[in-house]
Amino acid sequence: TRSFIPAMPSHHTHTVEQLLSHRACLLDKPSPEPKKQYNSAMSAAKTIWKNPLLSSCTPKIGTGSTYMYSNFAFTLLGAVLETRGKKNIVQLLQSYLTKPFGLSSLRAEYPLTANYDRSERYVGKKKIYLWTRENSNWKVLAGGMEIHVVDLARLGIKLKKGQVMSNATRTVMWTAPDETMKNYALGWGVT
């Protein structure tokens, strides 16, 4: 990863593949979780990449690798994509998915902005209450996007037909890289 982002601290020895497969030994969320508005994945990554890696973990793929889900891994992945694509993650999302595939509702989520098309989430068992949304722009690629259910179905159909990526690439992306966590591949939950 540091070959794409040389300014990243030296304790980040993971690869992009390890970021995608959650085998990079990164914490799930930085502490404290970012609350401010970021204009790019890189600006968010710079504020949290100083956090230590998981102790007793070595980033690797293969037998004995450690799977640990990490929102932060996808923030770093976004920073890599921004470096290569020379646009911020929101612009890349628009350029490579939203516009070419006619997915007009696919966008970065701005949860603190009113959106009447967005469903509300309620939580609780004995007392049900409205869940308070938090600013998720630091993790656009890790649950910080929203899409209308119809566009989501269209995206699924296009993926299955090989229109978003080749069938060969999809097979690689949907194949778990090792036996550690068979239901998680390269950026995709698989069964």
Side-chain angles (χ1 to χ4, degrees), residues 13-60:
T13 60
H14 43 75
T15 66
V16 173
E17 180 183 25
Q18 291 161 345
L19 292 176
L20 271 168
S21 64
H22 296 293
R23 289 162 175 87
C25 298
L26 296 172
L27 297 171
D28 178 22
K29 297 177 183 176
S31 181
E33 192 169 327
K35 301 289 184 201
K36 70 176 225 170
Q37 182 70 30
Y38 293 99
N39 295 321
S40 66
M42 181 64 82
S43 62
K46 285 179 180 179
T47 66
I48 52 182
W49 67 25
K50 63 185 174 289
N51 288 324
L53 301 180
L54 294 169
S55 59
S56 70
C57 179
T58 302
K60 69 178 185 174

Side-chain angles (χ1 to χ4, degrees), residues 174-185:
W174 289 3
T175 302
D178 62 45
E179 296 294 314
T180 306
M181 188 70 176
K182 291 182 182 180
N183 65 341
Y184 202 85

Side-chain angles (χ1 to χ4, degrees), residues 53-117:
L53 301 180
L54 294 169
S55 59
S56 70
C57 179
T58 302
K60 69 178 185 174
I61 299 285
T63 305
S65 67
T66 302
Y67 170 89
M68 176 63 181
Y69 184 84
S70 173
N71 285 303
F72 179 44
F74 278 62
T75 300
L76 286 180
L77 176 65
V80 168
L81 294 173
E82 287 176 349
T83 301
R84 297 294 293 165
K86 308 221 183 306
K87 295 179 180 178
N88 71 41
I89 199 63
V90 173
Q91 293 167 327
L92 291 170
L93 185 64
Q94 288 287 316
S95 296
Y96 289 95
L97 284 174
T98 301
K99 289 179 183 174
F101 298 107
L103 305 170
S104 61
S105 69
L106 177 61
R107 61 181 174 232
E109 180 185 30
Y110 297 102
L112 306 181
T113 303
N115 180 345
Y116 297 104
D117 289 332

